Amino acid sequence: MLSLLRSYDLESVKKKFIILYILNITDILFTLILVNSGYFFEANLLLCNIINNPFLCTIIKVVLPLFLLFFLYKSMQKANESQLILGKKFIHLGLLLYVIINTIHIISIIVLSSILIN
């Protein structure tokens, strides 16, 4: 896993984009679980108005990121080494943010479960 983080070749970029997409999907799934519980609210100001609209939510959190990551991957195929290194830094920032967000969601789900059990 550490070698994946260090590398910036196209194959590792592809793997990182797949991981980013999976983290994005788990983010929306966890968010929906928490928001639908009634104990939590959507903190993302861009999504709070569409979280209750399944169609818009799917487009913005599932379809749009898929196309964006595909476009970025295709663009990175034409990138030089310094552009790939810069892209790697932004990808790692996105991975870090999603890991933090998903961790907060998991902790919140655990807390919610303990509230509902008691």
Side-chain angles (χ1 to χ4, degrees), residues 5-95:
L5 288 174
R6 289 186 180 151
S7 60
Y8 54 87
D9 59 277
L10 282 174
E11 188 57 33
S12 68
V13 167
K14 181 179 178 181
K15 289 176 184 175
K16 290 172 192 176
F17 278 163
I18 291 169
I19 294 168
L20 255 176
Y21 188 69
I22 291 169
L23 289 170
N24 173 62
I25 297 299
T26 55
D27 170 40
I28 192 59
L29 291 174
F30 292 153
T31 298
L32 289 171
I33 290 168
L34 291 167
V35 168
N36 288 333
S37 74
Y39 290 95
F40 296 87
F41 65 92
E42 174 57 67
N44 182 337
L45 297 177
L46 299 173
L47 289 178
C48 66
N49 293 325
I50 65 158
I51 197 73
N52 294 320
N53 183 327
F55 178 75
L56 276 177
C57 197
T58 302
I59 295 294
I60 296 201
K61 283 297 286 179
V62 177
V63 177
L64 191 62
L66 183 62
F67 284 114
L68 177 62
L69 289 172
F70 179 77
F71 173 75
L72 288 172
Y73 178 74
K74 287 298 185 183
S75 296
M76 290 184 83
Q77 288 177 330
K78 301 170 190 163
N80 60 37
E81 187 173 345
S82 64
Q83 290 169 326
L84 286 173
I85 292 171
L86 180 61
K88 175 181 118 172
K89 291 178 183 180
F90 282 107
I91 293 167
H92 287 179
L93 178 61
L95 287 169

Side-chain angles (χ1 to χ4, degrees), residues 76-118:
M76 290 184 83
Q77 288 177 330
K78 301 170 190 163
N80 60 37
E81 187 173 345
S82 64
Q83 290 169 326
L84 286 173
I85 292 171
L86 180 61
K88 175 181 118 172
K89 291 178 183 180
F90 282 107
I91 293 167
H92 287 179
L93 178 61
L95 287 169
L96 177 64
L97 290 174
Y98 267 119
V99 166
I100 291 169
I101 290 167
N102 277 286
T103 301
I104 291 169
H105 284 329
I106 290 169
I107 291 169
S108 298
I109 289 172
I110 292 169
V111 168
L112 175 65
S113 298
S114 68
I115 289 170
L116 295 177
I117 289 173
N118 293 327

